[in-house]
């Protein structure tokens, strides 16, 4: 009789993300989680969340959105004429400020933080000091805001994410397979999602559980 694969258990804190998913916490994102936890006790009513694409900053922004009853806007769509309507929400998220085209609009919005007690969370994949901002006053204002960065996921977090993603698909995977994948894949949450989806697809095609051979095939397909 075949033995069941060893169950994988990781002692990492869980946090609701977007009200539906678990958000796993490790050293790589603890500072960002702490920033969201401190709200509304921020030094000023605005802050910046920095992290590479696929790092989980959208999940954390959504946690804050639910908590603050905020409305989310893309920085690329922000314009001076729309600022009064945006500010009327009371709490807003401006996503991906590296895509900002109307710098005066964001500067005006940040000015309203004190005037109208506006709550603002900005997200970006670029540190404020490295943003290409032509308006000096806006550049200074962004650099002065409270900030937390999400780093590339560490091994503990990435391993737990892989296990969770497999579990979400009702797939049981042995620990040595997860370890095999961990040292070969791209170091990002997005890469983990893509890998698990591809491994699931290949396992379904072959009508087998996820083996090391299937894991290797998925890695190869994705170019990792």
């Amino acid at each position: 009789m075949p033995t069941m694969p060893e169950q994988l258990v990781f002692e990492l804190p869980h946090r609701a993300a977007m009200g539906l998913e678990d958000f796993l916490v490790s050293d790589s994102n603890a500072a960002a989680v702490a920033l969201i936890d401190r709200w509304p006790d921020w030094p000023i009513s605005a802050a910046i969340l920095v992290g590479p694409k696929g790092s989980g900053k959208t999940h954390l922004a959504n946690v804050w959105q639910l908590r603050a009853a905020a409305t989310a806007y893309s920085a690329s769509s922000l314009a001076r004429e729309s600022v009064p309507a945006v500010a009327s929400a009371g709490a807003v998220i401006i996503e991906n400020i590296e895509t900002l085209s109307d710098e005066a609009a964001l500067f005006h919005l940040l000015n309203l933080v004190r005037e109208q007690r506006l709550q603002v969370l900005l997200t970006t994949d670029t540190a404020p000091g490295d943003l290409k901002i032509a308006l000096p006053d806006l550049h200074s204002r962004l650099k002065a805001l409270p900030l937390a960065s999400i780093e590339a996921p560490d091994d503990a977090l990435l391993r737990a994410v892989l296990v969770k993603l497999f579990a979400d698909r009702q797939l049981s995977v042995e620990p040595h397979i997860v370890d095999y994948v961990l040292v070969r894949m791209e170091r990002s949450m997005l890469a983990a999602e893509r890998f698990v989806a591809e491994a699931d697809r290949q396992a379904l095609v072959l009508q087998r559980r996820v083996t090391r051979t299937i894991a290797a095939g998925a890695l190869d397909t994705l170019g990792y």
Side-chain angles (χ1 to χ4, degrees):
M1 181 175 178
T3 58
M4 294 297 291
E6 179 184 347
Q7 185 176 3
L8 293 159
V9 179
F10 298 96
E11 297 298 327
L12 288 175
H14 287 65
R15 170 174 312 276
M18 293 181 280
L20 298 173
E21 302 176 59
D22 287 334
F23 189 88
L24 298 168
V25 183
S26 80
D27 290 345
S28 62
N29 58 26
V33 172
L35 175 71
I36 300 302
D37 274 345
R38 283 197 301 270
W39 182 87
D41 188 25
W42 288 348
I44 60 175
S45 297
I48 303 181
L49 194 57
V50 182
K53 289 179 173 60
S55 64
K57 71 176 178 293
T58 298
H59 286 185
L60 275 182
N62 276 276
V63 171
W64 187 81
Q65 183 176 5
L66 291 170
R67 185 175 295 181
T71 303
Y73 300 90
S74 170
S76 61
S77 65
L78 190 65
R80 274 162 286 189
E81 59 271 18
S82 67
V83 167
V86 171
S88 68
V92 298
I93 298 172
I94 305 299
E95 298 179 312
N96 304 316
I97 61 172
E98 70 278 2
T99 66
L100 184 70
S101 58
D102 190 337
E103 296 181 3
L106 182 56
F107 183 66
H108 180 34
L109 187 67
L110 292 176
N111 284 337
L112 295 178
V113 167
R114 291 184 179 179
E115 295 174 17
Q116 298 186 11
R117 297 184 179 179
L118 184 63
Q119 306 284 325
V120 178
L121 177 65
L122 308 175
T123 74
T124 178
D125 61 11
T126 307
D130 296 328
L131 286 168
K132 295 180 180 179
I133 300 292
L135 191 62
D137 287 343
L138 176 60
H139 195 259
S140 298
R141 183 70 59 85
L142 291 173
K143 289 175 65 176
L145 292 179
L147 174 149
S149 296
I150 303 177
E151 307 299 335
D154 53 33
D155 282 356
L157 178 58
L158 202 53
R159 183 180 286 107
V161 167
L162 285 167
V163 172
K164 179 184 182 300
L165 290 170
F166 278 122
D168 287 346
R169 292 171 178 264
Q170 300 183 328
L171 297 172
S172 181
V173 179
E174 295 182 62
H176 73 88
I177 296 174
V178 175
D179 291 339
Y180 172 81
V181 172
L182 189 62
V183 297
R184 291 167 172 81
M185 64 176 287
E186 178 186 305
R187 314 294 293 180
S188 75
M189 302 289 200
L190 186 58
E193 293 173 4
R194 288 174 175 168
F195 166 75
V196 171
E198 179 59 24
D200 187 19
R201 187 191 69 79
Q202 293 193 21
L204 285 172
V205 169
L206 297 173
Q207 296 187 340
R208 299 172 60 188
R209 63 187 180 88
V210 177
T211 62
R212 178 166 167 166
T213 300
I214 287 177
L219 289 168
D220 185 62
T221 297
L222 295 170
Y224 297 151

